[in-house]
Amino acid sequence: MLVISIEAAAFGTNCYLVAPASGEECLIVDPGVGVEHQVAEALAQHGLRPAAVLLTHGHLDHTYSVTPVCGGTTAAYIHQDDRYRLRDPLASTSPQLLGMLEQQFGRRANWAEPDTVVDLTGGQDLDLAGLSLGVAHAPGHTEGSVLFSLPGVPTGMPDEVDRTVLTGDVLFAGSIGRTDLPGGDHSAMLRSLRDVVLPLPDSSLVLPGHGPATSIARERATNPYLTSLT
């Protein structure tokens, strides 16, 4: 499996391109601020063709480039509970943040909803770009946060991992996503960690929404938010 990681120009958000191999269709996960050109370059370099854009949740730092990346021909997939966030995420964004984006990129932030949006539900299975994915609803960071699970790992990974989980802002290396933003719920996050994250196999490679990759084995043993639940 081919996985390309692109760090967004703001907030350090990880955008991932996932494909069975070079020259195939691919999935684009969480296209954040300013990633359009890097995504286009990676697609061209590896001969990839976008089949879908997957969103782990609806926060602006994970969705800012979704419409240009979709390009009017590729559908965006998001959990139904975060669907409302794609209609106008700028409306709930602070003036200070919008000002920061304008200063960084030299233009005012603007938004257009993707032409095609597909609602996801927890427990759903997807077959896209020659890949099979499971969707797990894990609210807490937002109402519609999800994990995407795939059998298999990127080429070159150590033998102790044999599957991949894209965790968005639910689980990071050594930490978890914030729950003090609009739509956050700390009690829901703890339930998601207990009922969705902890049951994952130790052999799961974790590709988070921010920061470095990790594994469920490592997080189960060292992440204070998980060790406090066991």
Side-chain angles (χ1 to χ4, degrees):
M1 187 167 68
L2 174 68
V3 176
I4 301 165
S5 178
I6 297 170
E7 185 174 333
F11 310 108
T13 307
N14 294 325
C15 172
Y16 298 101
L17 277 60
V18 185
S22 293
E24 303 285 348
E25 288 189 318
C26 73
L27 305 174
I28 302 173
V29 183
D30 288 353
V33 177
V35 301
E36 304 100 299
H37 297 303
Q38 291 169 281
V39 167
E41 290 173 357
L43 294 174
Q45 179 182 352
H46 295 275
L48 300 173
R49 306 179 304 279
V53 176
L54 305 183
L55 303 173
T56 60
H57 63 289
H59 277 161
L60 187 71
D61 60 323
H62 290 250
T63 65
Y64 191 84
S65 299
V66 62
T67 299
V69 166
C70 284
T73 59
T74 305
Y77 289 67
I78 192 168
H79 190 274
Q80 58 190 6
D81 290 349
D82 267 16
R83 174 69 177 83
Y84 75 96
R85 295 180 181 275
L86 285 190
R87 297 191 178 101
D88 188 7
L90 299 180
S92 59
T93 301
S94 71
Q96 293 84 358
L97 176 54
L98 292 177
M100 186 202 76
L101 293 172
E102 182 176 351
Q103 183 178 31
Q104 182 168 356
F105 296 103
R107 61 183 185 275
R108 292 185 62 83
N110 58 70
W111 181 262
E113 191 174 0
D115 289 344
T116 304
V117 179
V118 178
D119 289 348
L120 297 173
T121 59
Q124 187 174 358
D125 293 318
L126 302 174
D127 290 303
L128 297 167
L131 298 166
S132 298
L133 300 93
V135 181
H137 187 205
H141 182 64
T142 66
E143 308 93 324
S145 291
V146 299
L147 311 183
F148 295 110
S149 299
L150 301 92
V153 294
T155 303
M157 286 290 107
D159 292 341
E160 56 261 30
V161 290
D162 59 13
R163 64 196 66 208
T164 300
V165 184
L166 296 141
T167 58
D169 286 5
V170 175
L171 181 69
F172 305 136
S175 189
I176 61 172
R178 294 174 59 174
T179 58
D180 59 341
L181 300 172
D185 184 326
H186 189 67
S187 295
M189 175 66 89
L190 294 179
R191 288 193 296 272
S192 292
L193 295 174
R194 182 192 65 208
D195 299 338
V196 179
V197 172
L198 281 175
L200 292 169
D202 281 350
S203 59
S204 301
L205 172 70
V206 173
L207 299 180
H210 301 266
T214 182
S215 69
I216 290 296
R218 184 179 303 135
E219 297 313 301
R220 192 189 307 280
T222 63
N223 189 315
Y225 295 95
L226 296 185
T227 57
S228 65
L229 295 174
T230 57

